[in-house]
Amino acid sequence: MKTIVLYLFTLVLIGSKLSAQDRESTPLEQATSASSIRGLGSFEVNHSVAPFKLNGAKINMQQVGGALTIPVINHMKDGKLDFLLVGASYNGLFLSGAGEQFEGTNFHAIAIPVTFQKALSQKYAIVASFVPSLSSDMKDISGEDMVYSGAVMLKINQSGRFNYSLGIAFARQFFGTVLVPIVAVDWKVNDKLTFSGILPISEKIKYQLSDKSAFGVLADFAIGGGTYRLSKKMNSDYLQLQQFKTAIFYEYSFSGKFSVELNAGYNLKQQLDLYSKDQKVDWVPFNDPNKREPLAELKKAGFTAQTGIKYRF
């Protein structure tokens, strides 16, 4: 079941999960955070590298991302918050040293995430998110490049220090449709220490050193570019990237709106697979995605580092 959940969130957050180290880096994550009342609008960019050696070859996976989130509706009344967030995001995967086995070196994902929250009371709210994404090598763009994901959750504000969300997420991907329950947690343990995450996909423990700086540790099992469809010249096959990461991070806020983050860690699993377009499983978890047979595979754990800049408004 764990493998199935990891597959899902690589897909659900594709195109909008650009900084896995920031608990509020996507509209869905932001909506399930206790601090979602502030900083609903944001702009961010990031860059990550993952160099390693395999069979004597030096290989590097680079990812470049950017995202803009705009609060179209942001209404607070009687302690109840309603909002509509609309965004645009980009994630690029760039390979070097991997040869021609993946039929290309540059792959791209562009998404338009939309997230809506309707407060039922000061304690309860419904959160819904929908993310259409165009994900391919961009050599012949068509409707076949589209993937769709989303989630519906009940957000429960237990107290000013603890809230959680329960729901279900889906993804219509190149290999089929995925459906799975999800849980989000946001817990302010004390004035210095916080724990947050979408369990068991991503977890983050953060310690506030001062008003401007913080550090901590994170585990993220959904980072990466997800899947990409190749051109018709390449038989419309598709790639799937998985990177399961643990890291330490440092965050510095130049102001209440502008911040930077650095992190370094280790990809416990790093795997890039090429699949034939006919390799489909449909309706995970009722069918096992591991039954697919890749045409080519790149698999090696290794060091990774990331830098990110974010501006809230």
Side-chain angles (χ1 to χ4, degrees):
M1 181 63 186
K2 182 177 179 180
T3 301
I4 293 169
V5 174
L6 298 180
Y7 267 97
L8 173 70
F9 267 88
T10 300
L11 310 176
V12 167
L13 303 182
I14 181 176
S16 60
K17 190 177 182 66
L18 297 171
S19 178
Q21 294 70 42
D22 188 338
R23 174 64 181 87
E24 299 177 359
S25 64
T26 73
L28 177 59
E29 289 176 314
Q30 190 167 315
T32 56
S33 169
S35 58
S36 62
I37 190 172
R38 63 170 179 81
L40 285 174
S42 66
F43 173 74
E44 62 181 288
V45 294
N46 66 74
H47 176 244
S48 68
V49 295
F52 58 93
K53 285 186 177 181
L54 184 62
N55 299 325
K58 294 182 179 180
I59 300 172
N60 187 21
M61 291 187 186
Q62 295 190 63
Q63 294 183 73
V64 177
L68 173 66
T69 300
I70 299 174
V72 177
I73 298 173
N74 185 7
H75 179 67
M76 172 73 80
K77 183 179 181 180
D78 299 328
K80 298 186 291 184
L81 177 64
D82 297 334
F83 60 75
L84 173 65
L85 307 179
V86 178
S89 67
Y90 167 79
N91 187 77
L93 171 64
F94 305 95
L95 303 177
S96 61
E100 298 298 324
Q101 59 179 323
F102 297 109
E103 303 173 352
T105 58
N106 301 333
F107 309 95
H108 314 271
I110 300 172
I112 307 294
V114 178
T115 299
F116 175 72
Q117 173 172 300
K118 175 60 180 179
L120 305 177
S121 66
Q122 293 186 16
K123 184 175 182 179
Y124 298 102
I126 297 293
V127 178
S129 183
F130 179 65
V131 186
S133 304
L134 189 153
S135 186
S136 74
D137 57 11
M138 300 295 183
K139 292 180 180 178
D140 60 353
I141 299 175
S142 72
E144 294 182 24
D145 295 328
M146 297 299 298
V147 295
Y148 302 92
S149 59
V152 177
M153 307 183 75
L154 175 65
K155 180 179 175 181
I156 304 169
N157 294 307
Q158 194 68 31
S159 68
R161 290 183 175 270
F162 181 76
N163 82 303
Y164 62 98
S165 302
L166 305 173
I168 192 165
F170 79 93
R172 189 188 72 81
Q173 258 295 334
F174 297 127
F175 61 78
T177 301
V178 190
L179 193 68
V180 76
I182 52 176
V183 178
V185 175
D186 198 294
W187 179 25
K188 187 175 183 180
V189 181
N190 54 45
D191 291 340
K192 295 285 188 179
L193 187 66
T194 59
F195 172 81
S196 57
I198 297 181
L199 307 177
I201 308 308
S202 61
E203 299 85 29
K204 182 177 184 178
I205 299 174
K206 179 178 176 180
Y207 185 82
Q208 200 72 33
L209 295 170
S210 67
D211 291 340
K212 291 184 176 293
S213 63
F215 82 100
V217 296
L218 61 91
D220 198 288
F221 304 108
I223 191 171
T227 59
Y228 303 92
R229 174 190 166 269
L230 304 183
S231 66
K232 292 182 179 179
K233 291 183 178 180
M234 304 302 176
N235 301 315
S236 297
D237 296 337
Y238 65 92
L239 294 180
Q240 182 167 14
L241 174 66
Q242 300 175 78
Q243 291 174 306
F244 304 160
K245 173 183 179 178
T246 60
I248 57 175
F249 69 89
Y250 176 77
E251 178 182 291
Y252 186 83
S253 298
F254 293 95
S255 67
K257 296 182 177 182
F258 180 63
S259 63
V260 297
E261 183 175 306
L262 307 173
N263 74 70
Y266 195 79
N267 281 324
L268 302 172
K269 179 178 182 180
Q270 185 165 234
Q271 184 172 329
L272 181 64
D273 292 302
L274 171 65
Y275 292 102
S276 165
K277 66 178 180 180
D278 299 323
Q279 288 285 309
K280 298 181 181 296
V281 292
D282 289 328
W283 292 109
V284 177
F286 306 107
N287 295 285
D288 186 1
N290 291 323
K291 291 181 178 180
R292 296 172 297 163
E293 294 292 335
L295 302 173
E297 184 176 76
L298 190 66
K299 187 176 182 179
K300 182 67 180 291
F303 168 82
T304 183
Q306 180 168 325
T307 60
I309 300 173
K310 185 168 187 176
Y311 180 78
R312 298 175 184 270
F313 56 88

